[in-house]
Amino acid sequence: MDYVKGIFKSRPNRFVAEIEVDGNLEIAHVPNTGRCKELLVDGAVVWLEPSDNPNRKTKYSLHFVENKGVLVSLYSQQANSIVYDAIKDGKINELLNYSVYKREKTIDNSRIDIYLANENEECYVEVKGVTLIVDGEARFPDAPTERGAKHLKELIKLKKDGNRCVVFFLIQHPIGKFFRPNWDNDPVFSQTLNDAYDAGVEILVYRCDNQLVGIDLIPESLDFDLAQSFSNSIVND
């Protein structure tokens, strides 16, 4: 992929951003509905993925932003693919020995990101991409997410029905080496995550190595703490 370098100028709404490219102002699609205010600041260096689809309203997608000397991936949906591929490649020690792999398993009114199975059990994995860093801690979400809490409640139900269930936080900002739910922005999600953990839903935390030539999951699980923190120093350049 040949990315195009640009300078972030503004984000008129959550779907598009104004980017300066070679002195011209371009409109780019933002594939991340989170606020990302700590990352998308005026003057930030970004990397755009060009599109040759004539039917698109924008010819670029905003894929990476530089922050604290590293590339942060803003392509939230790619987190699902990264985790899915890592599971199939045997990079997630906690999710080995499955023979069935499926993307987006529909359960009632929800779609769980990854479905795994073997002759002994079924396993449901919900993936959350994390870009917010506060005092070196990765936190999710960066904006309230009713949908995220709904997914956790679905995992609780599936766990009570006898299935293995996992919520997988993929840290897409490489400096994040520890995870905590974002009680300040979304206490409902944070409490529901605690409820899920108490119900037996497993929590896994991994992070990415982001390069313009590709994104790799680092095969090393990270620690987490579900308790509320009183520190609120957000990483920003």
Side-chain angles (χ1 to χ4, degrees):
M1 172 63 65
D2 292 325
Y3 289 97
V4 175
K5 186 176 182 179
I7 303 297
F8 177 83
K9 303 307 293 182
S10 68
R11 189 178 183 182
N13 59 57
R14 65 177 182 165
F15 300 106
V16 299
E18 295 180 331
I19 310 294
E20 182 181 321
V21 179
D22 294 330
N24 299 315
L25 196 63
E26 301 282 357
I27 303 298
H29 169 63
V30 180
N32 189 316
T33 57
R35 290 175 179 169
C36 304
K37 288 184 177 180
E38 75 288 353
L39 299 171
L40 295 178
V41 297
D42 186 15
V45 174
V46 297
W47 293 89
L48 309 175
E49 181 180 344
S51 171
D52 56 4
N53 183 351
N55 297 319
R56 275 188 51 149
K57 294 182 179 179
T58 59
K59 67 177 182 179
Y60 296 111
S61 290
L62 199 168
H63 198 157
F64 295 106
V65 57
E66 294 185 8
N67 184 263
K68 291 295 179 182
V70 297
L71 288 176
V72 182
S73 174
L74 295 183
Y75 195 172
S76 58
Q77 286 301 312
Q78 193 177 38
N80 297 352
S81 297
I82 293 169
V83 173
Y84 180 77
D85 290 342
I87 293 172
K88 293 194 71 175
D89 292 341
K91 294 181 178 180
I92 310 299
N93 288 333
E94 298 90 343
L95 297 174
L96 298 175
N97 302 318
Y98 288 100
S99 55
V100 177
Y101 306 86
K102 184 177 180 179
R103 298 283 302 274
E104 296 189 341
K105 176 79 168 180
T106 299
I107 302 294
D108 295 332
N109 295 320
S110 296
R111 285 189 303 174
I112 305 300
D113 292 321
I114 299 171
Y115 171 78
L116 308 171
N118 57 31
E119 60 183 10
N120 298 315
E121 67 180 10
E122 294 178 288
C123 178
Y124 295 85
V125 182
E126 181 65 22
V127 180
K128 304 297 181 188
V130 186
T131 60
L132 177 64
I133 304 296
V134 181
D135 282 348
E137 296 177 353
R139 297 193 186 178
F140 183 91
D142 76 343
T145 170
E146 292 183 9
R147 183 169 176 267
K150 176 186 175 184
H151 287 153
L152 293 179
K153 291 177 181 178
E154 192 63 58
L155 290 180
I156 293 173
K157 180 177 181 297
L158 287 166
K159 178 61 181 177
K160 290 180 177 178
D161 290 340
N163 302 287
R164 185 185 182 191
C165 295
V166 177
V167 56
F168 194 115
F169 292 98
L170 183 66
I171 301 175
Q172 295 176 282
H173 194 315
I175 72 171
K177 298 180 181 178
F178 184 83
F179 173 79
R180 188 188 301 274
N182 194 349
W183 286 91
D184 295 318
N185 279 9
D186 196 339
V188 173
F189 176 89
S190 301
Q191 182 57 58
T192 307
L193 182 61
N194 274 262
D195 295 342
Y197 186 69
D198 290 341
V201 175
E202 300 168 52
I203 296 175
L204 295 180
V205 182
Y206 280 74
R207 65 190 173 109
C208 289
D209 176 29
N210 300 322
Q211 305 292 334
L212 293 180
V213 295
I215 299 176
D216 290 319
L217 180 141
I218 300 173
E220 176 185 351
S221 61
L222 303 178
D223 292 333
F224 62 88
D225 187 345
L226 301 184
Q228 187 169 5
S229 171
F230 296 101
S231 179
N232 296 289
S233 178
I234 295 177
V235 166
N236 202 343
D237 278 326

